[in-house]
Amino acid sequence: MPVPCTLTWSMWGPGMSESSTAWLLDVGNDIKIAVAEPEMVEFLLTPKLHRLPLTPDYCSHVLLWRRLIVPVIEMSALFDSPTFLQHSSALTVLRYQKASHAPLEYFGIVVEKSPLKIMVNDQQACEGPASDHGIWQSSELVLAHFLHDELPIPILSLPYLTSEAFRDFVATTHPGHDSQ
Amino acid sequence: MTDVKPSHYALLGFEGIALSFPQDQVLNINSIDDMQAPATTHQEFGSVRHHDSVLPVFAFSDNLQPKTASATAHRFCVSFHIDGVPSFAIACDTVEPLAIDQLAVTQPLPELMKLDVTPIRGLLQHGDRLALESDAGAMHAYLEYVGAWHE
């Protein structure tokens, strides 16, 4: 499925003709994603996570953080591979808004390495890999790609990633991944 | 409809899970030694008597799958009513009261974590502890859905 070849996006600043700062997150299985600098809140090396029964595989833990109960997403649970939460549970706390005046919402995403700060601009925009399948086929999830170290990096829609619609999409495209 | 949050909960502990119920839905707390054989031949779960009622006793795995309670694995069985009618009991290792105060935070289960049928209505944080918030009606509906409930 074609994806828009522009990186212009409200959280990335007014246009991308000049470089914007982003964070590169390694979410496991050699998969990297990018989030805008304002979306990153905190990196936690050894957070205490609480598992909840009867929840989707990719979001089965919560973090108690600043008097909030924050859901934690584990992208590697969506890649037909063992989850690595048992032996590595570093995570980043991210924030987003569903609309410009909506309250900030928070969630955690499990990462394998420390986030890397990078600069991105429109000249790096590229198509997604032709081999993309599964969740990467969702144009609602993947807003755009850019080239970094010769690899296409997806920019994800955080409101969609944390939505019921994405949960239902996963249940459809990843049968067996929808319950603990 | 106004959803008035309870101010007092009963906190049941088992399999590393803390499951909270509104305290006013608790009928009784028995020793697991009071558990009897299943009340009817088609039931697989034990039972406990509460006055003239015989209530099924459910235990749960760490993934909230119903299983048979046992005197070696559990210490208590807590009986619940629904709208005044004695309904069921849950076997657990610990049971303690919890009063909501300034240290407590409750919130609904995040939408992305909700499956079609779950007895978990929300989450309750008290200090660095986290409990799953349920109620007798939601648990009854869940037990029916997973086929554990036999009238």
Side-chain angles (χ1 to χ4, degrees):
Chain A
M1 182 175 289
V3 294
C5 282
T6 173
L7 303 181
T8 304
W9 179 33
S10 63
M11 291 294 279
W12 292 70
M16 294 287 293
S17 54
E18 294 182 11
S19 291
S20 293
T21 311
W23 287 98
L24 197 62
L25 308 180
D26 184 335
V27 294
N29 293 71
D30 294 324
I31 303 289
K32 294 181 176 65
I33 64 169
V35 298
E37 186 185 32
E39 292 175 324
M40 165 74 86
V41 183
E42 194 167 334
F43 171 62
L44 302 169
L45 199 54
T46 53
K48 183 181 178 186
L49 300 177
H50 300 260
R51 192 185 72 83
L52 304 189
L54 300 174
T55 47
D57 281 351
Y58 74 96
C59 187
S60 59
H61 291 74
V62 293
L63 168 74
L64 306 183
W65 178 80
R66 300 187 189 176
R67 283 184 65 78
L68 292 173
I69 302 171
V70 177
V72 174
I73 289 178
E74 190 174 11
M75 300 289 291
S76 72
L78 297 168
F79 300 147
D80 297 324
S81 60
T83 59
F84 56 81
L85 196 51
Q86 291 157 2
H87 54 86
S88 169
S89 57
L91 65 84
T92 57
V93 178
L94 303 178
R95 67 182 172 190
Y96 65 93
Q97 286 176 292
K98 286 179 178 163
S100 58
H101 296 293
L104 284 169
E105 303 201 31
Y106 298 87
F107 72 100
I109 191 162
V110 174
V111 292
E112 203 156 45
K113 297 174 185 165
S114 303
L116 183 65
K117 204 171 193 177
I118 57 173
M119 302 302 287
V120 184
N121 62 47
D122 261 351
Q123 282 67 54
Q124 292 171 253
C126 69
E127 294 281 353
S131 60
D132 268 1
H133 65 284
I135 61 168
W136 306 113
Q137 286 182 319
S138 166
S139 58
E140 291 176 283
L141 176 67
V142 182
L143 299 173
H145 286 83
F146 64 89
L147 273 180
H148 177 77
D149 286 346
E150 300 181 358
L151 285 175
I153 306 293
I155 299 170
L156 302 190
S157 162
L158 302 189
Y160 183 72
L161 179 64
T162 56
S163 68
E164 297 165 74
F166 181 65
R167 179 202 61 199
D168 295 342
F169 177 76
V170 170
T172 305
T173 57
H174 293 68
H177 285 236
D178 59 345
S179 65
Q180 281 279 305
Chain B
M1 191 175 74
T2 305
D3 187 16
V4 179
K5 298 292 285 184
S7 59
H8 291 75
Y9 289 86
L11 211 54
L12 279 57
F14 53 83
E15 300 280 357
I17 292 174
L19 189 61
S20 67
F21 289 85
Q23 201 173 69
D24 61 8
Q25 293 181 348
V26 173
L27 274 179
N28 202 13
I29 301 173
N30 288 77
S31 162
I32 197 71
D33 296 332
D34 296 333
M35 191 173 68
Q36 303 166 355
T40 60
T41 53
H42 67 282
Q43 280 188 351
E44 57 182 306
F45 299 99
S47 61
V48 66
R49 180 169 290 279
H50 178 75
H51 299 305
D52 295 333
S53 305
V54 179
L55 313 180
V57 179
F58 300 97
F60 293 96
S61 70
D62 63 357
N63 201 25
L64 284 184
Q65 299 304 313
K67 64 177 188 178
T68 304
S70 79
T72 53
H74 302 96
R75 292 180 62 200
F76 304 104
C77 56
V78 182
S79 309
F80 295 90
H81 70 88
I82 298 176
D83 296 330
V85 179
S87 185
F88 61 89
I90 292 179
C92 58
D93 306 321
T94 61
V95 55
E96 58 181 306
L98 176 66
I100 294 299
D101 58 22
Q102 291 179 337
L103 290 175
V105 174
T106 60
Q107 74 173 47
L109 191 65
E111 288 296 330
L112 76 158
M113 303 185 87
K114 278 185 185 168
L115 297 182
D116 288 343
V117 175
T118 172
I120 305 169
R121 308 296 293 267
L123 304 171
L124 195 161
Q125 179 188 356
H126 191 264
D128 62 353
R129 301 171 68 191
L130 183 77
L132 311 176
E133 192 182 352
S134 186
D135 64 50
M139 181 56 78
H140 180 247
Y142 172 69
L143 290 167
E144 279 193 323
Y145 180 81
V146 297
W149 190 269
H150 301 282
E151 294 290 356

Coordinates of all heavy atoms in Angstrom, one line a residue, chain A residues 8 11 17 32 34 43 71 91 96 102 104 112 124 134 142 147 152 165-166 177-178:
Chain A
T8 N 5.8 15.9 6.5 CA 5.1 17.0 7.2 C 4.0 16.5 8.1 O 3.2 15.8 7.7 CB 4.5 18.0 6.2 OG1 5.5 18.4 5.3 CG2 3.9 19.2 6.9
M11 N 3.3 17.3 14.7 CA 4.2 17.1 15.8 C 5.7 17.3 15.4 O 6.6 17.5 16.2 CB 4.1 15.7 16.5 CG 2.8 15.5 17.2 SD 2.6 16.6 18.7 CE 3.6 15.6 19.8
S17 N 11.1 21.3 5.7 CA 12.2 21.7 4.8 C 13.5 21.9 5.5 O 14.6 21.6 5.0 CB 11.8 23.0 4.0 OG 11.5 24.0 5.0
K32 N 13.0 -0.6 13.7 CA 13.1 0.8 14.3 C 12.0 1.6 13.9 O 11.5 1.5 12.7 CB 14.5 1.4 13.9 CG 15.7 0.7 14.4 CD 17.0 1.4 14.0 CE 18.2 0.7 14.6 NZ 18.4 -0.7 14.2
A34 N 10.3 5.8 14.4 CA 10.6 7.2 14.8 C 9.4 7.9 15.4 O 8.3 7.7 15.0 CB 11.2 7.9 13.6
F43 N 12.8 7.9 29.3 CA 13.3 6.6 29.0 C 13.6 5.9 30.3 O 14.3 6.5 31.2 CB 14.7 6.7 28.2 CG 15.4 5.4 28.1 CD1 14.8 4.3 27.4 CD2 16.7 5.3 28.6 CE1 15.5 3.1 27.3 CE2 17.3 4.1 28.5 CZ 16.8 3.0 27.8
P71 N -0.6 2.2 30.0 CA -0.5 1.0 29.2 C 0.9 0.9 28.5 O 1.4 1.9 28.1 CB -1.6 1.0 28.2 CG -2.0 2.5 28.1 CD -1.6 3.1 29.4
L91 N 11.9 0.8 28.6 CA 10.8 1.3 27.8 C 10.9 2.9 27.8 O 11.6 3.5 28.6 CB 9.4 0.9 28.3 CG 8.9 1.3 29.7 CD1 8.3 2.7 29.7 CD2 7.9 0.3 30.1
Y96 N 0.9 11.9 23.4 CA 0.3 12.3 22.2 C -1.0 13.0 22.5 O -1.5 12.9 23.7 CB 0.0 11.1 21.2 CG -1.0 10.1 21.7 CD1 -2.3 10.2 21.4 CD2 -0.6 9.1 22.6 CE1 -3.2 9.3 21.9 CE2 -1.5 8.2 23.1 CZ -2.8 8.3 22.8 OH -3.7 7.4 23.3
A102 N -7.1 18.4 22.8 CA -7.4 17.3 23.7 C -6.3 17.1 24.7 O -5.2 17.6 24.5 CB -7.4 16.0 22.8
L104 N -3.3 15.6 27.0 CA -2.2 14.7 26.6 C -2.5 13.3 27.1 O -3.0 13.1 28.2 CB -0.9 15.2 27.3 CG -0.2 16.4 26.6 CD1 0.9 17.0 27.5 CD2 0.3 16.0 25.3
E112 N 14.5 -2.0 22.9 CA 15.7 -2.9 23.2 C 16.9 -2.1 23.5 O 17.8 -2.7 24.2 CB 15.9 -3.8 22.0 CG 16.6 -5.1 22.3 CD 16.4 -6.2 21.3 OE1 16.4 -5.9 20.1 OE2 16.1 -7.3 21.7
Q124 N 14.7 13.2 3.1 CA 14.9 11.8 3.5 C 13.6 11.0 3.3 O 13.7 9.8 3.5 CB 15.3 11.7 5.0 CG 16.7 12.3 5.3 CD 17.0 12.4 6.8 OE1 17.0 13.4 7.4 NE2 17.2 11.2 7.4
G134 N 1.5 -7.4 7.4 CA 1.0 -7.3 8.7 C 0.6 -5.9 9.1 O 0.0 -5.1 8.3
V142 N 1.0 3.7 9.8 CA 2.3 4.3 9.2 C 2.0 5.6 8.5 O 1.4 5.5 7.4 CB 3.0 3.2 8.3 CG1 4.3 3.8 7.8 CG2 3.2 1.9 9.1
L147 N 14.5 7.7 5.1 CA 15.7 6.9 5.1 C 16.7 7.4 6.2 O 16.9 8.6 6.4 CB 16.4 7.1 3.7 CG 16.0 6.2 2.6 CD1 16.8 6.5 1.4 CD2 16.2 4.7 3.0
P152 N 14.6 2.3 5.5 CA 13.4 3.1 5.6 C 12.8 2.9 7.1 O 12.6 1.8 7.6 CB 12.4 2.4 4.6 CG 13.0 1.1 4.4 CD 14.4 1.1 4.7
A165 N -9.3 0.8 17.4 CA -9.3 0.4 16.0 C -8.1 -0.5 15.7 O -8.1 -1.5 15.0 CB -9.4 1.6 15.1
F166 N -6.9 0.0 16.2 CA -5.7 -0.8 16.0 C -5.8 -2.2 16.7 O -5.4 -3.2 16.2 CB -4.5 0.0 16.5 CG -3.2 -0.8 16.3 CD1 -2.7 -1.0 15.0 CD2 -2.4 -1.2 17.3 CE1 -1.6 -1.7 14.8 CE2 -1.3 -1.9 17.1 CZ -0.8 -2.2 15.9
H177 N -3.2 -13.5 18.6 CA -2.4 -12.5 19.3 C -3.3 -11.6 20.1 O -2.9 -10.5 20.5 CB -1.6 -11.6 18.3 CG -0.4 -12.4 17.8 ND1 0.9 -11.9 17.9 CD2 -0.3 -13.5 17.1 CE1 1.8 -12.7 17.3 NE2 1.1 -13.7 16.9
D178 N -4.6 -11.9 20.2 CA -5.5 -11.0 20.7 C -5.9 -11.3 22.1 O -6.8 -10.6 22.7 CB -6.8 -10.9 19.9 CG -7.5 -12.2 19.7 OD1 -6.9 -13.2 20.1 OD2 -8.7 -12.2 19.3

